[in-house]
Amino acid sequence: MSILNLLPAFSRLSVHTISNVRNISACTSPLYFRVSDALLGEPLKKKKRIDPMIIKAREERRKKRLEKQIKRLEKYVKQLKPIDEVEVPLKLMDEKEQRLRKPPSLSEEEMESRIILQKEWTRYKYRQYLEDAQAIDSILYSQQKALDELRAESEELYQEAIQMDLALLPHTTKGPVKTPVIKNYDSPDGEYINTTRKFEGEE
């Protein structure tokens, strides 16, 4: 049977329109049959209830472990690299009592004499401080008085007087560029052995 023979049969079919029905779709893709994903879900497991004392004991152990590590780090931080030139030999430390010299005992007259001498020195330094302060105040007063008189005469000269002296800065000096020769100096020559100690972490 050809397609041309089927056309009259389709033409006799009646087409009924359904009124008051509107099909609206907001999908941009065709409305095909779809299957949802298999999620393989299962009921949630019931959480085991742990004794609060066990939780507290675990926290205490963790806290003690952290404190122990911190103490160990602080212990090594305080250790400095030894310097042979600064360290006191053990032999001298053992002989400390033998080498220790006690200060001589002073008589009462000597102690009183030293106290009087210290008081006199204190009074002398106090008078020296007052004299220096008065001299500085006098110089500043004279300088300010001279500037006021100059300003009364000419504002232009006053502005020039309070300017910085550019000849003072920058300060340059010229001196010997080489160390003077030392007469009869025997310059050392030859090889040497490096005895510097090496510690962990140094290159």
Side-chain angles (χ1 to χ4, degrees):
M1 182 180 294
S2 63
I3 298 176
L4 296 176
N5 296 330
L6 293 175
L7 288 176
F10 282 107
S11 63
R12 291 194 296 269
L13 294 175
S14 61
V15 179
H16 299 280
T17 58
I18 302 174
S19 60
N20 299 329
V21 175
R22 180 179 295 175
N23 297 324
I24 299 175
S25 176
C27 298
T28 57
S29 59
L31 298 176
Y32 299 141
F33 289 102
R34 298 181 182 179
V35 179
S36 59
D37 298 333
L39 300 178
L40 301 177
E42 63 178 356
L44 297 176
K45 294 182 179 180
K46 187 176 181 180
K47 294 183 179 180
K48 295 182 180 179
R49 188 173 182 180
I50 304 176
D51 190 1
M53 297 301 295
I54 297 176
I55 298 175
K56 186 176 180 180
R58 290 178 181 175
E59 292 294 332
E60 290 293 334
R61 287 197 298 270
R62 181 171 172 271
K63 185 177 179 181
K64 289 181 180 179
R65 186 166 59 252
L66 291 176
E67 290 178 353
K68 189 175 181 181
Q69 293 177 358
I70 292 173
K71 287 182 180 179
R72 188 185 300 112
L73 292 175
E74 291 178 350
K75 179 180 178 181
Y76 287 106
V77 165
K78 294 180 180 179
Q79 291 183 356
L80 302 177
K81 184 187 297 184
I83 303 176
D84 297 336
E85 293 81 1
V86 178
E87 289 185 349
V88 181
L90 296 177
K91 182 179 179 181
L92 296 180
M93 295 179 66
D94 296 337
E95 298 176 356
K96 179 180 178 181
E97 296 297 333
Q98 300 176 5
R99 295 175 177 271
L100 186 62
R101 298 180 182 179
K102 296 181 180 180
S105 57
L106 301 176
S107 62
E108 186 176 353
E109 296 178 356
E110 181 66 22
M111 293 177 62
E112 186 176 356
S113 175
R114 292 189 178 187
I115 292 173
I116 294 173
L117 183 62
Q118 186 176 6
K119 289 182 178 180
E120 291 180 357
W121 173 255
T122 304
R123 285 192 291 267
Y124 167 75
K125 296 300 292 183
Y126 178 68
R127 289 194 301 268
Q128 185 182 18
Y129 165 74
L130 291 179
E131 292 175 359
D132 293 342
Q134 291 175 0
I136 293 173
D137 291 341
S138 177
I139 293 172
L140 292 177
Y141 175 76
S142 301
Q143 182 185 23
Q144 188 62 39
K145 184 177 180 181
L147 289 175
D148 294 340
E149 294 292 336
L150 181 62
R151 191 170 193 177
E153 292 293 333
S154 173
E155 181 69 24
E156 184 178 356
L157 294 177
Y158 171 78
Q159 294 297 333
E160 289 292 334
I162 63 175
Q163 295 298 322
M164 183 182 296
D165 189 0
L166 300 179
L168 296 177
L169 296 174
H171 178 68
T172 57
T173 56
K174 186 177 181 181
V177 295
K178 293 183 179 180
T179 304
V181 180
I182 301 176
K183 295 182 179 180
N184 301 326
Y185 177 71
D186 186 13
S187 177
D189 188 14
E191 298 180 354
Y192 69 95
I193 300 175
N194 188 5
T195 59
T196 305
R197 294 171 58 187
K198 293 289 185 179
F199 297 90
E200 295 182 0
E202 291 185 342
E203 297 180 357

